Every structure is written in structure tokens, then in C-alpha cells.
Amino acid sequence: MDKTLELECTERVLELVRNRTSDLAPTPYDIPVDVYLDEERAHRERERLFRSLPLLAALSCELRNPGDFKAIEIMDVPILLMRDRDGQVGAYLNACRHRGMKLTEGHGTSTRLRCPYHAWTYDNQGNLTNVPFGPESFPGLCLEEKGLVAVPCQERHGIIWVKLDRDDGPLDVDEFLGEMGDDLATWDIGSWHFVNSKPLGANANWKLTAEGYLENYHVGALHAESLAQIAKSYYGCARTPFGDHQRLVYANHMIDTLVDIPKEEWVSFDTGAISFIYHVFPATMMVMFFDHFEVFQIFPGKTPGTSTTIQNLYTATELVEYDEKKAMQERFDFVYMLVEAEDYWAAASTQAALLSGANDTLVFGRQEIALHHLHDTCFKHLQPAFEPA
Ligand code: FES
Ligand SMILES: [Fe+2]
């Protein structure tokens, strides 16, 4: 990681720990519970946040070579990412132009994709190249007009971004990320190595699941037997906003060992004294550790009370030894279990209790400042509430 950024963030976090505090908003923040329950609100979020803004669909390392592809579902939209022979990545709807079957699933490598149903075949630029018995069966069929339907896509900072709304112009990831782009660029994300990916459903609104990544106030209580053994609770969360997005740096207990060491000798990131979360609005969480990276893609479900998270794990160097691979797989499983059994258990419990009517509003404390930002940014994008007639 970037040494200047590491030292700057360590200093800030250490200062917060010394003062037994975290970055604070001026006042607490009330949020109406309707934002987690209302159908119309959920519809607008899907349209204006998740269909209109760029979304992280994959990292470049998942499609490292020409011919590599990845199929992913985003809010029930099947997307196919393919790297063509020139090294360019394209995104398409993963739906055959004959009778609509998905062409493939997961990751793979092939210069041609053949539909399993009747063998219509496409190249890795989405062009339809072969239709069995075409001249007799489909007289007049124009292959050029039956290529896969393209989805706006851009590869930037080692990340493949897509936009679901195909009528809303091309993607501009630099504009979308603003200054956070420079920060992300320091992580050399294109050189990472893919380890595993797995979806996790939750009976909770996507914002409730997202909130768990954005404050460490809950660590001591909810994660008393797990994360709290490593990470500090309440203290030492330094937040930096980048437009709609934000970066959080969390203090781990290891940071206490730095107190008596001169700044020039600090090795805070590689020793696990601090960890980073990049929150790419609306709900991609990139959690950075010294040897591996966890990327959580959070999407709304069909109803306000459901969501899906895709958990991904990447490493800084390629794992070769069996023991290394086994250890990283165990890490993946541990995080999945922790998120499911603790964070998303709390989120689902909250969602269920919201329906009781006990609370008209919920309240975020001053230290839950990143949640103020998440909700403010949602409100900003969702205004005006209704289009003028
Ligand atoms: S649905 Fe794909 S070839 Fe028929
Ligand atoms: Fe948590």
C-alpha cells in the first residue's frame, strides 16, 4: 500500500485512540423508519441508485486474459463480462437472442460461447457467429442484428464497472469516483488475485446490511467473541469523504504497540494495526488488509426487506502452496459466517422489529458519521421524490 497514505491514516487513527474517540458528526441524526420499509422508496432506490449509477461488477484480475469471462447476477439482471482478443472488456445481457437462455454461469475461458439450448454461438465481442440450420430455419435472419445486448461498461483502476440502465448514456467512472479514484489507484487493484466469491441473502433492507460495515460502535457488543478480539470498538475510526463515497480507517488492538515507536519505524498496515474500508456509493464495500482484500457487493432484493450481498476475496500475491490456499479459504468461510451469523442476523432482527411500529425514527450517534453520509447521499439522489407530471 501507499506509504504516505499509511502514515497519514495511522497518525489520525492513533490520535483518535489516544483521545478515546472517533471522527464525529456535529449532532446525532434521526432517520424515518420508512426508508427501510416503503415500497415506493425501494423502487426509486433501485432505479436511481442501482440502475443509474456505475456498479462494481468484477475486478480486472477475474478476467485477466483474452477469452476470460464472468457471469454475474445484479438485481436479477444476468450480466456477462467478456475480455476480447484485443484485451478490451465488454458487458452484455447474459441472454441468448434465440429463446433467451443464459449462455453460461460463473467464471471461464473461451473464444466462443455456445448456448446450451440450441447451440447459437457468439464470439467474445458479443457477435452472433453461428446459427445451426440457420438458412432453412430462420430465412432472412441477419446475424449482425442478433448480437448480445451490450450494457455500458468501463474498466478503471483494476475494476470492471457496469451500468444497468442502457438508455442513460455511457459510463464515466472518473467522474463518478471523483477524488476517490486517486486513492483507489494506489492499491494496484489490477494486480490482485481472485480467490472465491459467494452470494449471501439477508432478510433486511440493503441499507441495514450496508450500515454494519460503516461503524465500529457495534464491534464490542455484537462481535464480542469474534471481531472484538482483533478490532477496537468505538475508538479510532477515521473517516474521509470523497463526494458520494467515503473511506474509513479502523483501529485494531495492534495499534497500541505503536505508541512507543518512532513514526519513521511504523509498519501499521502490514502488522494489522489499521484496516481500511472504501465505501463506493451506493453499497460496494472494499475492505483492505495487508495480504488480502474482501469486496462486498450489496444489492437490494425484490422487496424492501430483502437484499443480497456477494462476498469476494482476493489476495495481493498468487497463492501457490496448498496450505496458503487452505488458510485463505478458511478466512473466506470465517468472514462469511461472521457476516451471516452476526451482522446480517442483527440487520434481519432490526428489519423484523421495524414492522412493530415501536420506532417512527431511528437515531445514529455522532460517531456513526458514515451512516449520516450514506443516508444523506441517498436522499440527495432520490430527490425530487416524484417526477413532475
Ligand atoms: S435459446 Fe439459445 S440457442 Fe436457443
Ligand atoms: Fe460488524
Side-chain angles (χ1 to χ4, degrees), residues 24-278:
L24 299 172
T27 58
Y29 183 111
D30 287 320
I31 184 90
V33 298
D34 278 357
V35 305
Y36 304 108
L37 298 171
D38 186 67
E39 296 270 356
E40 164 59 22
R41 159 91 183 203
H43 174 73
R44 275 187 290 135
E45 288 176 347
R46 281 194 292 271
E47 289 301 315
R48 295 199 201 167
L49 308 182
F50 289 89
R51 289 187 59 83
S52 300
L53 297 174
L55 297 173
L56 179 152
L59 298 198
S60 300
C61 63
E62 295 177 67
L63 290 79
R64 202 179 287 283
N65 301 307
D68 289 350
F69 65 80
K70 177 189 184 182
I72 180 176
E73 306 266 327
I74 301 179
M75 295 195 304
D76 294 326
V77 179
I79 303 281
L80 177 60
L81 308 169
M82 296 194 280
R83 193 177 294 280
D84 69 17
R85 73 179 80 82
D86 301 324
Q88 295 295 312
V89 174
Y92 308 89
L93 294 180
N94 183 12
C96 180
R97 298 301 306 281
H98 174 219
R99 282 166 52 196
M101 185 176 176
K102 283 185 218 168
L103 296 173
T104 189
E105 293 181 352
H107 293 85
T109 303
S110 178
T111 53
R112 293 263 185 278
L113 280 175
R114 200 175 78 140
C115 180
Y117 208 167
H118 314 89
W120 283 31
T121 301
Y122 304 83
D123 66 16
N124 50 24
Q125 291 179 322
N127 302 303
L128 177 62
T129 57
N130 187 45
V131 172
F133 308 103
E136 176 171 282
S137 196
F138 303 95
L141 175 82
C142 175
L143 294 187
E144 286 79 36
E145 289 174 3
K146 286 288 187 182
L148 297 177
V149 175
V151 173
C153 173
Q154 195 181 20
E155 188 169 25
R156 196 82 181 94
H157 304 304
I159 298 170
I160 299 163
W161 307 84
V162 300
K163 185 168 64 172
L164 298 184
D165 187 344
R166 307 194 306 281
D167 303 325
D168 194 28
L171 244 82
D172 188 340
V173 172
D174 283 342
E175 188 190 351
F176 172 66
L177 290 176
E179 288 182 7
M180 191 149 100
D182 294 338
D183 229 63
L184 285 178
T186 67
W187 293 89
D188 196 14
I189 294 171
S191 72
W192 294 0
H193 296 266
F194 175 72
V195 175
N196 203 355
S197 176
K198 191 173 169 185
L200 169 57
N203 287 320
N205 185 268
W206 68 271
K207 297 184 291 301
L208 288 176
T209 56
E211 287 165 8
Y213 299 84
L214 298 176
E215 46 89 359
N216 66 353
Y217 183 36
H218 72 283
V219 169
L222 187 65
H223 302 305
E225 304 300 324
S226 54
L227 192 59
Q229 309 297 316
I230 301 162
K232 291 212 180 280
S233 190
Y234 191 85
Y235 305 138
C237 176
R239 173 180 169 273
T240 305
F242 297 107
D244 290 354
H245 319 292
Q246 48 191 341
R247 181 190 71 209
L248 302 177
V249 187
Y250 288 120
N252 297 316
H253 298 306
M254 276 295 285
I255 202 166
D256 297 334
T257 63
L258 297 184
V259 173
D260 301 320
I261 298 176
K263 193 175 148 190
E264 308 72 57
E265 294 170 26
W266 284 354
V267 188
S268 53
F269 188 58
D270 287 11
T271 54
I274 56 171
S275 42
F276 287 74
I277 290 193
Y278 286 85

Side-chain angles (χ1 to χ4, degrees), residues 254-330:
M254 276 295 285
I255 202 166
D256 297 334
T257 63
L258 297 184
V259 173
D260 301 320
I261 298 176
K263 193 175 148 190
E264 308 72 57
E265 294 170 26
W266 284 354
V267 188
S268 53
F269 188 58
D270 287 11
T271 54
I274 56 171
S275 42
F276 287 74
I277 290 193
Y278 286 85
H279 168 212
V280 184
F281 186 81
T284 299
M285 306 293 168
M286 306 185 72
V287 190
M288 317 299 212
F289 300 96
F290 75 98
D291 62 341
H292 73 281
F293 313 95
E294 293 156 1
V295 176
F296 300 87
Q297 300 160 273
I298 303 172
F299 304 115
K302 287 188 175 70
T303 63
T306 58
S307 57
T308 299
T309 300
I310 305 173
Q311 176 186 313
N312 305 275
L313 190 142
Y314 308 85
T315 50
T317 55
E318 187 167 11
L319 303 181
V320 182
E321 301 298 328
Y322 173 79
D323 287 350
E324 287 180 323
K325 290 182 180 172
K326 184 163 173 280
M328 206 44 82
Q329 184 56 44
E330 284 170 2

